[in-house]
Amino acid sequence: MQNLLSAFFVGGITLAAPAAFAAERTVTFSVDNMTCASCPYIVKTSMASVAGVDNVAISLEAMTATVTFDDGKTTAEAIAAASTNAGYPAHPQQGS
């Protein structure tokens, strides 16, 4: 019985471990093709639809999107792909 409890305890720690290392992360992306007033809305909507994204701030003037997300649920690559699929290729900036 004690071996069974030990196995459940170790298994529980193993399953919980990835969540313990997840962290909030902020990445700024350069976004191509934003040329009009509706473009930022489309980029923001596409990026915000990715599970794990908490906030998206768009600058049409700088042609950037600053995204805060849970890196245990998504990646910068997945967020960039969502924007790219909407017609606005996004690339993480250096240092993000």
Side-chain angles (χ1 to χ4, degrees), residues 57-95:
I58 304 292
S59 171
L60 178 59
E61 296 78 26
M63 294 188 67
T64 61
T66 302
V67 183
T68 303
F69 62 96
D70 180 338
D71 70 358
K73 295 180 181 177
T74 194
T75 64
E77 292 78 15
I79 297 165
S83 183
T84 300
N85 290 339
Y88 300 90
H91 315 280
Q93 292 183 342
Q94 294 291 345

Side-chain angles (χ1 to χ4, degrees), residues 14-26:
T14 303
L15 292 175
F21 295 110
E24 183 174 84
R25 210 173 140 205
T26 300

